[in-house]
Amino acid sequence: FQEPGAGGGRYRAVPDRVLTDPVHGLDDAAWAALRIPVTTAFLLRGADSAPVLCYPSPAGATEAELEPAVWHTVFGRSRLAAALEPDVEALLLRRTRDRIQCLLVPVDLCYELVGRMRLRWQGFDGGAEAHAELDAFFAALEARARPLPKEAPA
């Protein structure tokens, strides 16, 4: 299923790449435009559907629709968003005190994170164990991440 059109185009393999774009990052204005009420979220796009914003929560993945105009405003010039393979990859976002991380990841890693948060969540904000799990998850992703190739779409 890795070649375009394999399986009649109906099925697609989930890539294993984790990418960053050191040139284009998200700032506070972009985060505000996305109206993300938590510190971690991921954005999915279908081949011909509106983007969906999801948050890991103790109940699973909470979905929120994202207006296409907001997607365009925030990610219209993002090479990382342009490189996103619909249905099988997502943009994983995390806001900490000092930065906003944006990684292109396989979609299964997003749902792995959702499962980890469900297992560890305690109390209102997740608790120390969930926060430590989140830190470890992102540290592993950063170690695995590679910069977006220069020839990637703009």
Side-chain angles (χ1 to χ4, degrees), residues 21-33:
D21 186 357
V23 176
H24 180 268
L26 294 180
D27 58 16
D28 291 334
W31 191 268

PDB file of all heavy atoms in Angstrom, residues 21-33:
ATOM      1  N   ASP A  21       9.919  21.256  11.114  1.00  0.00           N
ATOM      2  CA  ASP A  21      10.317  22.300  10.176  1.00  0.00           C
ATOM      3  C   ASP A  21      11.003  23.398  10.971  1.00  0.00           C
ATOM      4  O   ASP A  21      10.340  24.229  11.599  1.00  0.00           O
ATOM      5  CB  ASP A  21       9.113  22.858   9.424  1.00  0.00           C
ATOM      6  CG  ASP A  21       9.511  23.846   8.337  1.00  0.00           C
ATOM      7  OD1 ASP A  21      10.714  24.146   8.202  1.00  0.00           O
ATOM      8  OD2 ASP A  21       8.615  24.316   7.614  1.00  0.00           O
ATOM      9  N   PRO A  22      12.343  23.398  10.977  1.00  0.00           N
ATOM     10  CA  PRO A  22      13.063  24.404  11.752  1.00  0.00           C
ATOM     11  C   PRO A  22      12.858  25.832  11.242  1.00  0.00           C
ATOM     12  O   PRO A  22      13.115  26.787  11.958  1.00  0.00           O
ATOM     13  CB  PRO A  22      14.530  23.993  11.626  1.00  0.00           C
ATOM     14  CG  PRO A  22      14.595  22.830  10.716  1.00  0.00           C
ATOM     15  CD  PRO A  22      13.214  22.456  10.313  1.00  0.00           C
ATOM     16  N   VAL A  23      12.350  25.988  10.025  1.00  0.00           N
ATOM     17  CA  VAL A  23      12.167  27.317   9.438  1.00  0.00           C
ATOM     18  C   VAL A  23      10.828  27.934   9.854  1.00  0.00           C
ATOM     19  O   VAL A  23      10.737  29.119  10.142  1.00  0.00           O
ATOM     20  CB  VAL A  23      12.270  27.243   7.899  1.00  0.00           C
ATOM     21  CG1 VAL A  23      11.982  28.585   7.266  1.00  0.00           C
ATOM     22  CG2 VAL A  23      13.635  26.725   7.491  1.00  0.00           C
ATOM     23  N   HIS A  24       9.771  27.149   9.870  1.00  0.00           N
ATOM     24  CA  HIS A  24       8.430  27.670  10.138  1.00  0.00           C
ATOM     25  C   HIS A  24       7.904  27.073  11.437  1.00  0.00           C
ATOM     26  O   HIS A  24       7.651  25.889  11.525  1.00  0.00           O
ATOM     27  CB  HIS A  24       7.483  27.321   8.985  1.00  0.00           C
ATOM     28  CG  HIS A  24       6.090  27.826   9.195  1.00  0.00           C
ATOM     29  ND1 HIS A  24       5.113  27.089   9.794  1.00  0.00           N
ATOM     30  CD2 HIS A  24       5.513  29.007   8.873  1.00  0.00           C
ATOM     31  CE1 HIS A  24       3.993  27.785   9.833  1.00  0.00           C
ATOM     32  NE2 HIS A  24       4.220  28.949   9.278  1.00  0.00           N
ATOM     33  N   GLY A  25       7.744  27.909  12.438  1.00  0.00           N
ATOM     34  CA  GLY A  25       7.191  27.463  13.708  1.00  0.00           C
ATOM     35  C   GLY A  25       5.869  28.143  13.985  1.00  0.00           C
ATOM     36  O   GLY A  25       5.454  29.036  13.259  1.00  0.00           O
ATOM     37  N   LEU A  26       5.225  27.708  15.035  1.00  0.00           N
ATOM     38  CA  LEU A  26       3.978  28.342  15.453  1.00  0.00           C
ATOM     39  C   LEU A  26       4.273  29.347  16.558  1.00  0.00           C
ATOM     40  O   LEU A  26       5.107  29.096  17.422  1.00  0.00           O
ATOM     41  CB  LEU A  26       2.993  27.302  15.970  1.00  0.00           C
ATOM     42  CG  LEU A  26       2.458  26.304  14.949  1.00  0.00           C
ATOM     43  CD1 LEU A  26       1.498  25.336  15.613  1.00  0.00           C
ATOM     44  CD2 LEU A  26       1.769  27.012  13.807  1.00  0.00           C
ATOM     45  N   ASP A  27       3.559  30.460  16.530  1.00  0.00           N
ATOM     46  CA  ASP A  27       3.719  31.469  17.565  1.00  0.00           C
ATOM     47  C   ASP A  27       2.423  31.574  18.372  1.00  0.00           C
ATOM     48  O   ASP A  27       1.457  30.848  18.127  1.00  0.00           O
ATOM     49  CB  ASP A  27       4.120  32.808  16.963  1.00  0.00           C
ATOM     50  CG  ASP A  27       3.116  33.330  15.941  1.00  0.00           C
ATOM     51  OD1 ASP A  27       1.968  32.838  15.893  1.00  0.00           O
ATOM     52  OD2 ASP A  27       3.473  34.250  15.188  1.00  0.00           O
ATOM     53  N   ASP A  28       2.412  32.482  19.332  1.00  0.00           N
ATOM     54  CA  ASP A  28       1.240  32.652  20.193  1.00  0.00           C
ATOM     55  C   ASP A  28      -0.003  33.042  19.405  1.00  0.00           C
ATOM     56  O   ASP A  28      -1.114  32.620  19.734  1.00  0.00           O
ATOM     57  CB  ASP A  28       1.522  33.699  21.276  1.00  0.00           C
ATOM     58  CG  ASP A  28       2.534  33.201  22.295  1.00  0.00           C
ATOM     59  OD1 ASP A  28       2.646  31.980  22.493  1.00  0.00           O
ATOM     60  OD2 ASP A  28       3.220  34.045  22.903  1.00  0.00           O
ATOM     61  N   ALA A  29       0.162  33.846  18.361  1.00  0.00           N
ATOM     62  CA  ALA A  29      -0.988  34.259  17.549  1.00  0.00           C
ATOM     63  C   ALA A  29      -1.600  33.058  16.828  1.00  0.00           C
ATOM     64  O   ALA A  29      -2.826  32.936  16.745  1.00  0.00           O
ATOM     65  CB  ALA A  29      -0.571  35.322  16.542  1.00  0.00           C
ATOM     66  N   ALA A  30      -0.762  32.165  16.325  1.00  0.00           N
ATOM     67  CA  ALA A  30      -1.264  30.961  15.658  1.00  0.00           C
ATOM     68  C   ALA A  30      -2.003  30.077  16.656  1.00  0.00           C
ATOM     69  O   ALA A  30      -3.085  29.545  16.359  1.00  0.00           O
ATOM     70  CB  ALA A  30      -0.116  30.197  15.012  1.00  0.00           C
ATOM     71  N   TRP A  31      -1.430  29.911  17.833  1.00  0.00           N
ATOM     72  CA  TRP A  31      -2.081  29.085  18.864  1.00  0.00           C
ATOM     73  C   TRP A  31      -3.440  29.684  19.229  1.00  0.00           C
ATOM     74  O   TRP A  31      -4.427  28.957  19.350  1.00  0.00           O
ATOM     75  CB  TRP A  31      -1.180  28.986  20.096  1.00  0.00           C
ATOM     76  CG  TRP A  31      -1.651  27.968  21.081  1.00  0.00           C
ATOM     77  CD1 TRP A  31      -2.484  28.168  22.141  1.00  0.00           C
ATOM     78  CD2 TRP A  31      -1.337  26.575  21.093  1.00  0.00           C
ATOM     79  NE1 TRP A  31      -2.698  26.993  22.810  1.00  0.00           N
ATOM     80  CE2 TRP A  31      -2.009  26.007  22.192  1.00  0.00           C
ATOM     81  CE3 TRP A  31      -0.548  25.765  20.282  1.00  0.00           C
ATOM     82  CZ2 TRP A  31      -1.914  24.653  22.498  1.00  0.00           C
ATOM     83  CZ3 TRP A  31      -0.458  24.411  20.592  1.00  0.00           C
ATOM     84  CH2 TRP A  31      -1.138  23.868  21.683  1.00  0.00           C
ATOM     85  N   ALA A  32      -3.491  30.989  19.370  1.00  0.00           N
ATOM     86  CA  ALA A  32      -4.756  31.657  19.699  1.00  0.00           C
ATOM     87  C   ALA A  32      -5.781  31.471  18.588  1.00  0.00           C
ATOM     88  O   ALA A  32      -6.969  31.251  18.850  1.00  0.00           O
ATOM     89  CB  ALA A  32      -4.510  33.140  19.964  1.00  0.00           C
ATOM     90  N   ALA A  33      -5.342  31.539  17.329  1.00  0.00           N
ATOM     91  CA  ALA A  33      -6.255  31.360  16.202  1.00  0.00           C
ATOM     92  C   ALA A  33      -6.849  29.951  16.175  1.00  0.00           C
ATOM     93  O   ALA A  33      -8.007  29.757  15.811  1.00  0.00           O
ATOM     94  CB  ALA A  33      -5.532  31.649  14.885  1.00  0.00           C
TER      95      ALA A  33
END
